[in-house]
Amino acid sequence: MGFFGCNWCGVFVGELDVETQVRLVKDLWSDHAEKLLSGALDPDDSTYTIEELKKEVQAGKSELFRCELLLDDGWRLLGWGVLFIEDFGGGRECVFQAGASLTHAVKSLKVAIPAVEEWARSNGCVSVRTHIVRGRGSLKRAFLGVGFKEVETVLRAKL
């Protein structure tokens, strides 16, 4: 299915700081990805339910990627992310809809974002956007720490 990656990223493994390759591999929806991604969504207030996300991927509106790390013994799964591209007046924007990792989310994000950004650039995007569910302050700080800027607050009223 092809992959997209960056040359290297700093990966914190245990207490070792290791340079390694990371890649995004387009993937098909699976029970394993669904289980992990459902934990990243707030069941009461997320923009997407896991079923909506699954339908968007299966319909080709969004893309599911495996994030893999190259370690000494080969490529190892770090987690999954769902991305789509939105066209707007200022250009194209990659939207990071959801992501989940097998290990520490904040450390995994720092590893995966360079590959996400490279994929976005290769698809003509001028920016990457994400929405962070309330109560996930460490994740917000992690995005801010890898170059994201807070540009708006989203409010919702249920009808």
Side-chain angles (χ1 to χ4, degrees), residues 75-132:
W75 290 101
R76 295 290 174 238
L77 177 66
L78 179 64
W80 280 276
V82 179
L83 308 172
F84 79 89
I85 295 174
E86 184 173 74
D87 292 303
F88 62 99
R92 301 184 93 198
E93 185 168 60
C94 172
V95 180
F96 193 158
Q97 288 176 276
S101 66
L102 297 172
T103 185
H104 193 276
V106 171
K107 292 174 187 172
S108 299
L109 175 71
K110 290 178 181 178
V111 171
I113 283 297
V116 170
E117 290 174 338
E118 192 59 34
W119 180 85
R121 272 189 219 87
S122 76
N123 282 282
C125 295
V126 297
S127 58
V128 178
R129 178 181 86 226
T130 192
H131 295 244
I132 299 171

Side-chain angles (χ1 to χ4, degrees), residues 12 57 62 66 140 148:
F12 189 83
V57 169
S62 299
R66 269 189 336 267
K140 178 181 174 180
F148 282 67

Side-chain angles (χ1 to χ4, degrees), residues 29 41 46-59 61-62 82 97:
W29 196 266
L41 303 175
S46 282
T47 303
Y48 306 95
T49 66
I50 194 66
E51 283 303 314
E52 291 167 333
L53 203 58
K54 179 180 181 177
K55 285 178 186 174
E56 286 193 8
V57 169
Q58 291 176 332
K61 294 179 181 178
S62 299
V82 179
Q97 288 176 276

Side-chain angles (χ1 to χ4, degrees), residues 26-68:
K26 191 172 176 183
D27 206 356
L28 299 174
W29 196 266
S30 67
D31 290 341
H32 192 196
E34 183 171 327
K35 183 177 180 181
L36 204 60
L37 287 166
S38 65
L41 303 175
D42 183 324
D44 298 320
D45 285 325
S46 282
T47 303
Y48 306 95
T49 66
I50 194 66
E51 283 303 314
E52 291 167 333
L53 203 58
K54 179 180 181 177
K55 285 178 186 174
E56 286 193 8
V57 169
Q58 291 176 332
K61 294 179 181 178
S62 299
E63 296 187 51
L64 175 69
F65 289 95
R66 269 189 336 267
C67 183
E68 298 179 339

